[in-house]
Each structure stands twice: as structure tokens, then as C-alpha cells.
Amino acid sequence: IVSVRDFDKQKFETVFQATDKIIGMNQNERREIVRGKTLGYLFFEPSTRTRLSFEAAMASIGGTSLGIADASSSSARKGESLADTVKIMSLYSDVLVLRHQLDGSSRFAAEISEKPLINAGSGTEEHPTQAILDLYTIRKEKKKIDGLKIGIVGDLKYGRTVYSLLYALSNYNVDVKLISPPSLKIRSDSTYEIRKKLQYSETSDLEENLDDLDVIYVTRIQKERFADLEEYVKVKGSYKIGPELVKKMKDDAIIMHPLPRLDEISHEIDSTKQAKYFKQAQYGKDTRAALLALILNENGI
Ligand code: CP
């Protein structure tokens, strides 16, 4: 799974149904799904949710995990190449999970790996399993995806979760509002497919659009992606969702965030019925368990 662009509506539905099935299983049934299989993870960038949810997902369906959570403690620090690191990991595991700072890293690694490889975030390019769990969250919490009005807020220029989500949403009949500071609009080099297939408009004004949205997907402005810190300082804190803004939302709107967050969603919002970002992280474990089961279990689930 290198790009969410390799998925269509039917493939998403296969994953969603496998997720529902796994959630419905008892623990004994679940633990048989990939018994004896090993997941190998390589994280060249920090992670909390993606790495831990893959590990928790693998354990929940009976497999084990090993890996490098911090590349500075691996032989990459001595100069070992990504290619050799991937080759070695594919000797010790049945499926690989890679997060790397370079665009194209997962495509490159998938060609080298002798085992299936899952992209857990490649540069500013894509984070396909995040998009899958995002779609699952929308489907579960709103009972549908088609017909919704979805606002995506924040760092749209560098946000790999944003690109994967937009590619994924382009399979559905949705109305997307892209809300960002002008300097953080989606990159023109990545939008051909999105422009062709997705109905979207762009604005920098969050408040004027809030009462019309079914889903408000908030993202962090990512300091680590800016080449010039002065540019970051100009846009940091551009959007802050607090109680006053929640009052302006539809009563049944949902607020999502891939996390981690800084100050773009106030902690006061966490207990509101609209806040779904922790549930979203829980669905991350469930959807990743389904993906691992579909990849590793020849007999299906
Ligand atoms: N959403 C996400 O990718 O979180 P982590 O960076 O903590 O894995």
C-alpha cells in the first residue's frame, strides 16, 4: 500500500467491511487471523499513533511486531542505505511498515522489499492508511460519505494526510471546502487528479463556512516542514477551534484531526459530541488490523 490512489470505492468498501468484521469477532477468533506472522516497522520520522496502532493491530489479530522506532538508534546512523535497511527487514518479517521523510521513499522501498510494504507516511506526499481510517471514521460517524460537505483546515501545502484524504475523497460525491492561509494552499503540482475528479473550492475564512459543513477536518501547521521559520511564524495559530466556533457548527457536524495537535483544537472541545478525533485514532487500530489481515491471510477473513 504505497498510495491511496491505488484504491477505488470498491477496495475501500472491502477494507471497511473487513474492519467491521474484525470489530465484531471475539478475542479468540481474532487472535487466529495472522497467528505466526511478523510485522516489521521502520520509522525514520517520529510517530505515536501510526506506529503504536500498527503494533496494537498486529497483536490484536495474533501476530507480532519488531522494528526500528527511532532511526538514530539503527545502523542508518552509520550510513546504511534505506535499500539495505529494507532488504534486511524483509528477511525478518512478513509485512513492512515504513515512514520516511522523502517523497517517493515508499515506492522505492516497495520495489526493493521482498515482502508487502505499507506506506506509513512518505515526506509531504502521502499517508494512505491515515486516509483509509479517515474515510472509515466519516462512514461510521456520519453513516455515509457521499453527499457530505467536508471542510479541510490548516496546513494543506505540506500535509501528506491532506493529499491522501483528497485522493481518497475523489472517489466519492462530496463537496470539499479547502480552508488555509493563502501561503498554505494545496500544491499545484499535486492537484491535477484532485482538480479532475473532486468538487472543491478554496478560502482562508473558517468562520464563514462553519455552519454549512458536515465534517470539519483540522490539521496542524507543521513547523518541521518549513524551510524558512519566519514563514512558519506568519501562519502559526491561524485557526483555533474553541467553544464559540463549535456553537456555530451544525449540531450533528463532526470534528476530525489526524493528530498530533498543537493549539488548533482547544482541549475544552474534547468532551463535546462533535469531537471525534480520539475515536478516529481508535479506528486507526481497527482499520490497520483489517489491512494487515487482508494482506497476510491467504484465506481471507
Ligand atoms: N496521524 C499520525 O500519523 O500520527 P503520528 O505522527 O503520531 O503517527
Side-chain angles (χ1 to χ4, degrees):
I1 302 173
V2 170
S3 168
V4 82
R5 281 177 280 183
D6 296 331
F7 282 72
D8 57 18
K9 216 169 175 174
Q10 173 94 45
K11 284 188 183 158
F12 287 128
E13 199 50 42
T14 301
V15 180
F16 300 156
Q17 284 177 17
T19 307
D20 290 338
K21 194 168 172 186
I22 287 176
I23 290 172
M25 284 178 176
N26 68 41
Q27 208 177 65
N28 291 339
E29 279 179 303
R30 212 180 293 160
R31 292 231 163 114
E32 290 303 313
I33 299 174
V34 297
R35 191 140 70 100
K37 303 276 188 186
T38 301
L39 176 153
Y41 56 81
L42 298 168
F43 277 72
F44 288 81
E45 282 190 329
S47 170
T48 296
R49 274 145 298 275
T50 310
R51 189 177 68 76
L52 293 178
S53 66
F54 265 114
E55 218 172 319
M58 195 62 180
S60 76
I61 54 174
T64 55
S65 302
L66 55 88
I68 296 166
D70 174 4
S72 69
S73 68
S74 78
S75 286
R77 188 147 176 217
K78 301 179 211 160
E80 188 165 38
S81 66
L82 174 62
D84 283 359
T85 308
V86 167
K87 269 186 202 157
I88 296 301
M89 186 54 100
S90 70
L91 298 176
Y92 304 148
S93 48
D94 300 292
V95 59
L96 273 69
V97 173
L98 172 69
R99 171 170 288 187
H100 196 279
Q101 62 277 15
L102 291 180
D103 289 13
S105 49
S106 272
R107 178 79 58 200
F108 170 75
E111 280 165 15
I112 285 163
S113 175
E114 290 177 18
K115 303 289 167 53
L117 183 136
I118 303 175
N119 178 0
S122 49
T124 59
E125 178 190 47
E126 275 223 49
H127 192 351
T129 63
Q130 179 71 46
I132 291 167
L133 78 90
D134 292 342
L135 287 191
Y136 183 81
T137 304
I138 296 170
R139 177 183 175 273
K140 195 89 176 169
E141 297 298 324
K142 296 298 299 177
K143 312 291 177 220
K144 63 176 185 177
I145 300 174
D146 283 314
L148 293 179
K149 290 189 177 174
I150 300 175
I152 305 183
V153 184
D155 181 355
L156 311 186
K157 181 176 181 182
Y158 299 116
R160 58 192 174 202
T161 65
V162 170
Y163 292 97
S164 285
L165 182 57
L166 290 173
Y167 294 136
L169 286 173
S170 67
N171 291 282
Y172 295 85
N173 177 24
V174 288
D175 185 354
V176 173
K177 187 74 76 178
L178 298 176
I179 304 162
S180 72
S183 63
L184 293 180
K185 284 161 81 164
I186 53 170
R187 302 189 297 266
S188 56
D189 61 329
S190 305
T191 53
Y192 173 71
E193 203 170 336
I194 297 165
R195 276 210 184 99
K196 207 168 66 168
K197 289 170 72 182
L198 192 70
Q199 185 182 324
Y200 76 91
S201 56
E202 297 177 280
T203 177
S204 57
D205 193 330
L206 173 61
E207 273 195 68
E208 78 170 13
N209 291 289
L210 272 182
D211 60 351
D212 198 31
L213 296 170
D214 302 299
V215 178
I216 297 102
Y217 189 102
V218 186
T219 65
R220 176 176 63 96
I221 296 183
Q222 302 170 92
K223 185 178 180 184
E224 68 275 21
R225 304 280 180 216
F226 284 75
D228 179 353
L229 270 189
E230 278 182 28
E231 291 303 310
Y232 169 71
V233 170
K234 283 184 201 162
V235 290
K236 75 172 187 162
S238 293
Y239 303 105
K240 290 186 182 166
I241 305 228
E244 289 311 309
L245 288 195
V246 173
K247 279 188 210 149
K248 294 185 177 175
M249 292 176 191
K250 281 183 172 177
D251 193 51
D252 63 351
I254 62 169
I255 306 169
M256 296 172 63
H257 193 309
L259 303 175
R261 68 172 154 185
L262 297 178
D263 58 358
E264 58 276 7
I265 297 181
S266 151
H267 289 260
E268 289 168 81
I269 305 305
D270 296 355
S271 56
T272 65
K273 65 180 178 183
Q274 286 92 347
K276 300 294 178 194
Y277 28 92
F278 289 111
K279 246 180 157 177
Q280 188 182 349
Q282 171 62 41
Y283 294 141
K285 179 192 152 201
D286 301 328
T287 48
R288 286 175 175 129
L291 287 168
L292 291 167
L294 291 166
I295 290 168
L296 290 171
N297 195 326
E298 287 154 22
N299 305 320
I301 51 166

